[in-house]
Each structure stands twice: as C-alpha cells, then as structure tokens.
Amino acid sequence: MDFITKKILILVKTYPSISKKYTELVCTAGMDEEGNWYRLYPIPFRKLNDEQQYPKYRWIEARMYKSNDDPRLESYKVDFEKIKLLEQMKSDDWGRKSNIVLKQGIYNDLSKLIEESNLTNMSLAVFKPTKIIDFIWEKDDREYSKERLAAIEAERKQLDLFSNGEDDDVFKIVDKLPYKFSYVFEDIKGRQSTLMIEDWEVGAAFWNWKNYYKSEEIALQKIKEKFFDNFAKKKDLYFFLGTTRQYHGWAKNPFIIIGHFPLPKVMQNSLF
C-alpha cells in the first residue's frame, strides 16, 4: 500500500454507525487546499484521543492510502492513530470556507451527477438545490438488533482493539436515532427528490433538544426550525452529497445528504 500524507479540511461527519469490528464508526469527508474530496474511513471517532477528535472546519493532517476494497474514487483508509489537528477555521469565516468548498464547482442537476458517478466512480459532491420544498422525518427502529449487538460484544471481547490496557466497558455505543430525516427538493431541471440526511449535526441536535425539553415532539420541531426555517429559507444552502458503499454504482440514486453548507446570502451574493 502506498501511503500519502494530506492536509484536509473536515466538512462532513456522519452520525455514528455500529460495526462488528470497530464497534462504532464515523464517515469523515473533507477537501484538500485545491478543493479535491477525500473520504476518510473507517474512523472510530469517539475512541480517538482528545487531541485527535476534530470538529467541522478543522484542518487535519492525515496519513492514508487508497482503499483497495472500495471502488469509490475518493475513499481512503486512514492511520487514525496518527491524525494531527491543525488550524480551526472561525465559525464566521465564510469567505475562506467558500474558497475551498466551491473551488472545483458545484452540481445543480441530480441526473447529471448520478450519471457522472456511474461513469467515473465519483462519490462526493457539492450540490445546490434549486428549490427546497420540505424537511421531513419518519419513525425508525429505536434499538439496534440484539443479534448485531451480540456480535459486537463477542468481537470486542476477542480483540479489545482500543482499550490500551483500560477497561473498554466504560464505552457506550451511541444511541440509535429513532427517526430518519430527509429533505425534499428540486434540482435545476425540476426533478423532485427526497434524500435522507446522515449529518451528525442533525442527530446531535435531536438528542440535545430532546434532553433539554424532555419532549421528542418539541425536539423535532426545533430541528425543522434550524434546518428548514433557518438553513433552507434564510441561507443559501448547499448540500454535501455522498454515495453509500452498498448502493454505489447501481442504484437509481445512490446519494444521500451527508452535510450542510449554509452560506449567508450576503456572502453568497458577494462571491458571484
């Protein structure tokens, strides 16, 4: 394997998923200084040391190699134990962020994006919806299956990969989201789509508001206020789209929404 070391701006962290081997995984994606995408996977994010846990819009230095078991163009396996944290971009520094995020251009035609993905194995993109119609949710299973949890526990006892001599029993698998969230939108050709959201920010917001208000219904409304009433209506919202490994290359639409780029409209107007 040929390792490379890259400076990456973190733009995407998906809600943690559970895995037999690593217990819990987070799909991370970002861009280098030229606006090229990289998917960094697998990363047991919450088991990284404090000095390695990165927020969005943080530059990191990562040692990685092209995945040989994932055909997606941007997928790289990372030596996650050697991740180095670099500069954190300021929350209001949208000019510098845009210079990276929009450097390689954006997609606004979903059919064209899917066609290009099928031809080149491209699997990450910045997408600009022409019209955002709604933000919706549907109920999902509230617990992971007993079989999956049992398999994880058995593997953990055998390997104990991340304990470093400490008791790994203190690590609690992330709570399963009891809802699936999606945007309904149109592209520039008028194609209407409903795409699921796997942005960690949405999942974290649900639990934070549920714990604060002691009500799922209030939490759901607060999420819609932020991601629809604010992001979709008051910002110039871009989506970060990514294909899933399971559906890449053959599904009618393999893309999901893995992140948001809510550019202030005043800033957006000054860029173009």
Side-chain angles (χ1 to χ4, degrees), residues 130-145:
T130 302
K131 179 181 180 181
I132 301 178
I133 300 170
D134 204 356
F135 178 95
I136 61 176
W137 54 84
E138 59 180 306
K139 291 183 178 180
D140 195 14
D141 294 336
R142 289 184 170 266
E143 303 291 341
Y144 299 109
S145 70

Side-chain angles (χ1 to χ4, degrees), residues 98-112:
S98 297
N99 286 339
I100 299 295
V101 171
L102 305 180
K103 195 167 190 174
Q104 297 280 5
I106 61 175
Y107 289 86
N108 53 24
D109 182 336
L110 191 58
S111 296
K112 183 177 180 181

Side-chain angles (χ1 to χ4, degrees), residues 17-181:
S17 60
I18 62 173
S19 155
K20 179 180 176 182
K21 184 175 181 181
Y22 294 96
T23 305
E24 182 183 290
L25 296 176
V26 171
C27 180
T28 295
M31 292 180 176
D32 64 15
E33 293 172 296
E34 299 304 316
N36 300 304
W37 277 107
Y38 291 84
R39 175 186 290 102
L40 312 180
Y41 189 89
I43 295 179
F45 181 79
R46 294 197 303 139
K47 289 189 177 182
L48 296 178
N49 296 326
D50 290 343
E51 62 270 18
Q52 294 176 309
Q53 290 194 5
Y54 42 81
K56 287 174 66 174
Y57 302 117
R58 182 89 184 235
W59 287 99
I60 69 168
E61 182 181 279
R63 184 171 179 264
M64 54 191 169
Y65 64 93
K66 181 68 183 75
S67 174
N68 56 14
D69 58 3
D70 186 341
R72 293 176 295 178
L73 188 64
E74 307 88 351
S75 292
Y76 283 76
K77 291 191 175 181
V78 182
D79 186 354
F80 54 80
E81 294 181 336
K82 295 184 179 179
I83 290 173
K84 294 181 181 179
L85 301 191
L86 305 176
E87 177 196 2
Q88 174 70 49
M89 279 194 172
K90 295 180 180 179
S91 59
D92 61 351
D93 198 352
W94 293 104
R96 286 185 64 203
K97 292 175 185 176
S98 297
N99 286 339
I100 299 295
V101 171
L102 305 180
K103 195 167 190 174
Q104 297 280 5
I106 61 175
Y107 289 86
N108 53 24
D109 182 336
L110 191 58
S111 296
K112 183 177 180 181
L113 172 61
I114 295 169
E115 180 181 358
E116 184 170 336
S117 175
N118 290 335
L119 288 173
T120 66
N121 276 331
M122 176 268 290
S123 64
L124 292 169
V126 182
F127 185 86
K128 182 68 174 69
T130 302
K131 179 181 180 181
I132 301 178
I133 300 170
D134 204 356
F135 178 95
I136 61 176
W137 54 84
E138 59 180 306
K139 291 183 178 180
D140 195 14
D141 294 336
R142 289 184 170 266
E143 303 291 341
Y144 299 109
S145 70
K146 293 181 180 179
E147 293 78 12
R148 197 169 188 187
L149 291 175
I152 290 172
E153 178 63 14
E155 189 75 9
R156 185 193 66 79
K157 288 180 178 179
Q158 289 179 16
L159 300 179
D160 199 16
L161 292 177
F162 306 104
S163 64
N164 294 321
E166 299 178 358
D167 185 3
D168 197 42
D169 289 337
V170 300
F171 183 81
K172 181 180 181 295
I173 293 174
V174 69
D175 291 327
K176 187 179 184 304
L177 282 174
Y179 297 90
K180 293 181 179 179
F181 300 95

Side-chain angles (χ1 to χ4, degrees), residues 208-225:
N208 289 340
W209 278 316
K210 178 182 180 295
N211 293 335
Y212 183 82
Y213 291 104
K214 311 300 181 185
S215 166
E216 287 191 2
E217 289 303 317
I218 295 177
L220 293 169
Q221 291 305 319
K222 288 292 182 181
I223 288 175
K224 186 164 186 175
E225 287 177 14

